[in-house]
């Protein structure tokens, strides 16, 4: 039996999980005992019973393989009875959530920095998910952070690496390691929710799709689902070979970073439908021919059309969206007579609502959509949902969206990101905004009048936990909004996000480009925040 070693260590004081786990540059994670400290802090916080089962996998980015081996040996030394690990150390975030739920594991560890770039100087990340399959709530992430600040030792087994490339059973010490197919359980779950025969018929009838995995984890998942199970032709896929550095790209499915796909969908002889997902497979971007669907609209459209999808035919318990996400879904919920919840940014806030059966669908403006089938957002799920709607309605993406706007009005929406600005400059913008709370209400700015402004805080309706400081909202009397928020996933300086939303019921304006329709609000946002003067930035880094 290999020896269980107890290794003395000293804390790092920066292991505070952000919006979605701990994210740092690879060289930071490679510091002596850095990963080990954090993993031991997880194990010390969660208090798993002896012999418990853990799920483990990651998005395949640089350092994934080494990290998996370390975590396996530490899990064995910490008394776990079994680890279910995806072959090759791979599990997309939604697949990990699926595995945790299907096999009722105690929890899971997911290795990913999601949409952040990878490679030797790129980002790495780690997060813990609980037995419901969802990201650990703040109570647990705070306790992990506390443990990481106190740590003095960690446990690891002195054993050789486990062969992870083929599906097999192994042992490390007394712990079983089951190397599982990372794709099959997830693909089966998708097949149980959607009308695969209708989608197969749609594709066989000449409806052309293009799915861009951005050289990230969803490649093999997309191949199994679109090619093997739905019969799509080979050229429906692009960038579907996962690479540890994502081919030097930025695996974030939006109009800036998924440029290659966008150019195809806006080009000549464009396919009928385009979609992309991110590093760990939980985000999605939906495109029609020469047409982009904002994630906020996508959530509203899925909600309005859910009855067309077998898995949701029985109706929705409710819908939830993160605060900066547009209120398009609220309008649908109102018409359907179901509740709509507004939560802080980050998927962890949806878990309680889904567990309590208060909501079925959830979404974020940041290209995240999902449902209670798992407890993470789910990129391919959203793509299949759209394809199922199109197969049922026999209309294009654009026609579905325009009809939606004609009926509900359009929540014109855009997000402007200012990435990697000095932290002090970003903080000064936020402070300046907060300082103007007293004088803003009632002020007329162009054609808008400020109604209320606040720093969003949320009381969880299930466990009554309170989360404060979740973003500054300036709400105008006609319901239009500007939201300012600092990112919790970046690894360099601060990223300031400006979210802009205006409601327009008039179909005569629905053809307008969002930047044009929002131009007045964009100017107001600049004036209110003094962003140019305080950050020196003339233009956003990314507009979505
Ligand atoms: C961003 C998004 C947020 C999302 C989070 C994790 O967080 O805004 O909506 O839940 O990323 O997504 P922030 O704090 O940078 O704004 V993923 O796909 O990166 O895990
Ligand atoms: Co992601």
């Amino acid at each position: 039996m290999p020896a269980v070693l107890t290794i003395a260590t000293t804390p790092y004081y920066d292991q505070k999980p952000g919006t979605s786990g701990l994210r740092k540059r690879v060289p930071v994670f490679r510091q002596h005992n850095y990963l080990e400290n954090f993993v031991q802090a997880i194990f010390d916080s969660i208090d798993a019973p002896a012999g418990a089962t853990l799920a483990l996998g990651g998005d395949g980015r640089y350092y994934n393989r080494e990290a998996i081996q370390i975590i396996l040996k530490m899990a064995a030394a910490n008394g776990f009875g079994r680890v279910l690990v995806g072959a090759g150390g791979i599990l997309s975030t939604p697949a990990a959530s699926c595995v945790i739920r299907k096999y009722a594991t105690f929890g899971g560890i997911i290795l990913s920095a999601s949409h952040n770039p990878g490679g030797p100087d790129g980002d790495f990340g780690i997060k813990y998910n609980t037995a419901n399959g969802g990201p650990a709530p703040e109570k647990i992430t705070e306790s992990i952070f506390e443990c990481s600040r106190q740590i003095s030792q960690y446990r690891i087994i002195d054993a050789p690496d486990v062969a992870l490339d083929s599906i097999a059973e192994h042992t490390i010490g007394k712990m079983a390691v089951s190397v599982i197919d990372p794709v099959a359980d997830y693909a089966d779950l998708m097949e149980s929710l959607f009308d695969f025969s209708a989608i197969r018929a749609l594709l066989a009838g000449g409806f052309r799709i293009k799915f861009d995995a951005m050289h990230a984890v969803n490649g093999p998942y997309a191949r199994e689902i679109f090619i093997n199970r739905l019969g799509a032709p080979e050229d429906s896929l692009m960038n579907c070979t996962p690479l540890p550095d994502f081919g030097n790209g930025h695996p974030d499915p939006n109009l800036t970073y998924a440029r290659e796909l966008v150019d195809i969908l806006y080009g000549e002889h464009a396919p009928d439908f385009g979609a992309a997902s991110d590093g760990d497979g939980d985000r999605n971007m939906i495109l029609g021919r020469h047409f982009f669907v904002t994630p906020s609209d996508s959530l509203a459209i899925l909600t309005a059309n859910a009855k067309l999808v077998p898995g949701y035919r029985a109706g929705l318990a409710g819908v939830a969206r993160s605060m900066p996400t547009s209120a398009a879904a609220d309008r649908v919920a109102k018409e359907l007579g179901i509740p709509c919840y507004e939560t802080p940014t980050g998927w962890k806030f949806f878990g309680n609502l889904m567990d309590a059966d208060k909501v079925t669908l959830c979404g974020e403006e940041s290209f995240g959509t999902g449902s209670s089938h798992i407890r993470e957002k789910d990129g391919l799920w959203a793509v299949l949902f759209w394809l199922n709607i199109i197969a049922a309605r026999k209309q294009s993406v654009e026609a579905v969206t325009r009809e939606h706007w004609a009926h509900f009005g359009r929540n014109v929406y855009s997000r402007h990101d200012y990435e990697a600005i000095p932290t002090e400059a970003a903080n000064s913008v936020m402070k300046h905004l907060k300082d103007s709370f007293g004088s803003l209400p009632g002020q007329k700015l162009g054609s808008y009048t400020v109604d209320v402004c606040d720093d969003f805080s949320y009381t969880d309706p299930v466990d009554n936990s309170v989360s404060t400081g979740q973003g500054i909202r300036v709400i105008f009397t006609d319901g239009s909004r500007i939201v300012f928020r600092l990112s919790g996933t970046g690894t360099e300086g601060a990223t300031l996000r400006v979210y802009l939303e205006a409601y327009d019921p008039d179909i005569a304006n629905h053809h307008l480009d969002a930047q044009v329709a929002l131009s007045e609000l964009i100017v107001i946002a600049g004036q209110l925040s003094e962003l140019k003067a305080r950050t020196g930035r003339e233009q956003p880094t990314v507009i979505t």
Side-chain angles (χ1 to χ4, degrees):
M1 209 36 85
V4 175
L5 309 178
T6 300
I7 312 273
T9 186
T10 50
Y12 290 90
Y13 293 99
D14 65 346
Q15 299 194 318
K16 187 175 170 59
T19 311
S20 179
L22 181 69
R23 293 189 190 173
K24 300 282 175 196
R25 291 273 148 96
V26 168
V28 174
F29 265 104
R30 286 193 141 159
Q31 293 173 94
H32 189 56
N33 292 342
Y34 192 90
L35 176 73
E36 289 84 346
N37 278 12
F38 191 74
V39 172
Q40 188 63 51
I42 294 176
F43 292 153
D44 290 346
S45 305
I46 61 177
D47 207 16
T53 301
L54 191 69
L56 176 63
D59 64 11
R61 68 178 59 223
Y62 198 87
Y63 197 52
N64 194 77
R65 279 179 171 267
E66 294 93 315
I68 293 266
Q69 296 291 350
I70 293 170
I71 296 167
L72 284 172
K73 291 170 199 174
M74 289 185 64
N78 278 275
F80 282 88
R82 177 181 297 275
V83 174
L84 304 177
V85 55
I90 297 296
L91 281 175
S92 74
T93 291
S97 187
C98 163
V99 165
I100 293 170
R101 294 170 68 79
K102 182 166 178 177
Y103 299 104
T105 71
F106 183 80
I109 291 180
I110 303 177
L111 305 178
S112 171
S114 191
H115 56 285
N116 299 14
D121 298 311
D123 288 346
F124 188 75
I126 173 168
K127 74 175 176 171
Y128 180 70
N129 281 31
T130 49
N132 71 348
E138 282 190 326
K139 188 166 85 254
I140 296 181
T141 55
E142 275 156 23
S143 138
I144 295 172
F145 181 48
E146 259 327 294
C147 286
S148 77
R149 296 168 63 89
Q150 320 268 334
I151 195 159
S152 59
Q153 57 182 47
Y154 67 87
R155 286 185 291 287
I156 190 162
I157 269 199
D158 183 19
D161 283 0
V162 182
L164 291 178
D165 284 324
S166 41
I167 292 154
E169 293 289 328
H170 304 278
T171 52
I172 303 185
K174 284 190 261 172
M175 186 184 83
V177 177
S178 306
V179 183
I180 61 170
D181 180 332
V183 176
D185 294 312
Y186 175 80
D188 291 349
L189 177 59
M190 293 302 109
E191 204 159 349
S192 76
L193 294 171
F194 299 105
D195 188 345
F196 269 38
S197 57
I199 301 174
R200 203 177 297 118
L202 174 77
L203 299 175
F207 186 87
R208 290 192 299 129
I209 66 169
K210 193 71 134 182
F211 178 79
D212 184 353
M214 304 191 82
H215 287 303
V217 75
N218 259 349
Y221 294 85
R223 174 164 298 281
E224 172 62 17
I225 291 170
F226 296 125
I227 310 287
N228 300 349
R229 299 200 187 194
L230 290 169
E234 184 64 34
D235 69 358
S236 308
L237 303 184
M238 61 191 273
N239 301 326
C240 274
T241 306
L243 298 171
D245 64 355
F246 309 118
N248 258 324
H250 194 143
D252 196 357
N254 60 39
L255 296 174
T256 301
Y257 295 126
R259 191 76 234 170
E260 200 186 343
L261 176 73
V262 172
D263 286 344
I264 292 172
L265 267 291
Y266 280 81
E268 270 181 69
H269 312 298
D272 300 286
F273 180 90
S277 56
D278 71 333
D280 61 335
D282 59 357
R283 295 185 177 208
N284 73 91
M285 174 170 68
I286 302 293
L287 300 167
R289 181 183 290 141
H290 301 183
F291 196 78
F292 164 65
V293 184
T294 70
S296 295
D297 279 342
S298 181
L299 173 65
I301 291 167
L302 301 192
T303 306
N305 289 279
K307 286 238 159 93
L308 300 174
V309 175
Y312 304 92
R313 205 151 272 157
L316 307 175
V319 60
R321 61 166 174 83
S322 67
M323 180 274 282
T325 304
S326 94
D330 305 39
R331 294 177 186 279
V332 179
K334 192 163 177 216
E335 186 171 299
L336 293 177
I338 57 172
C340 180
Y341 295 85
E342 183 178 38
T343 59
T345 296
W347 210 260
K348 58 182 173 233
F349 294 102
F350 294 134
N352 275 351
L353 297 173
M354 290 192 274
D355 287 351
D357 216 12
K358 289 179 179 294
V359 302
T360 310
L361 300 191
C362 307
E364 295 192 278
E365 51 63 44
S366 54
F367 298 82
T369 344
S371 89
S372 54
H373 67 293
I374 53 172
R375 293 293 182 276
E376 289 278 7
K377 56 186 183 263
D378 191 342
L380 284 170
W381 171 91
V383 176
L384 290 165
F385 207 126
W386 265 95
L387 289 174
N388 196 143
I389 291 171
I390 290 166
R393 289 184 49 159
K394 302 187 174 22
Q395 284 176 304
S396 69
V397 172
E398 178 169 354
V400 169
T401 307
R402 289 200 186 279
E403 265 186 32
H404 185 92
W405 289 342
H407 183 84
F408 291 99
R410 179 181 177 198
N411 288 73
V412 191
Y413 190 85
S414 184
R415 183 174 108 182
H416 290 195
D417 289 337
Y418 297 82
E419 295 180 337
I421 52 183
T423 308
E424 311 79 71
N427 289 341
S428 102
V429 171
M430 297 301 275
K431 176 163 188 312
H432 168 70
L433 284 162
K434 283 183 209 164
D435 290 345
S436 26
F437 279 1
S439 57
L440 276 178
Q443 256 193 51
K444 238 180 120 26
L445 302 163
S447 53
Y448 293 93
T449 305
V450 178
D451 184 11
V452 283
C453 37
D454 64 4
D455 195 353
F456 181 63
S457 105
Y458 176 68
T459 304
D460 185 300
V462 179
D463 65 14
N464 291 317
S465 59
V466 178
S467 303
T468 56
Q470 297 295 325
I472 289 173
R473 306 190 288 185
V474 181
I475 305 174
F476 299 95
T477 47
D478 70 345
S480 299
R481 298 189 305 168
I482 305 173
V483 173
F484 299 87
R485 202 185 139 262
L486 295 179
S487 157
T489 59
T491 55
E492 191 193 343
T495 292
L496 178 66
R497 308 200 192 284
V498 183
Y499 309 80
L500 304 138
E501 174 181 2
Y503 178 64
D504 196 337
D506 188 353
I507 194 167
N509 297 328
H510 289 174
H511 65 283
L512 287 176
D513 178 79
Q515 304 309 315
V516 174
L518 293 168
S519 52
E520 192 183 351
L521 274 184
I522 293 170
V523 173
I524 294 172
Q527 289 165 351
L528 286 179
S529 61
E530 299 181 353
L531 200 142
K532 274 183 199 166
R534 289 170 187 275
T535 67
R537 292 292 178 87
E538 291 291 325
Q539 291 297 328
T541 329
V542 179
I543 295 181
T544 52

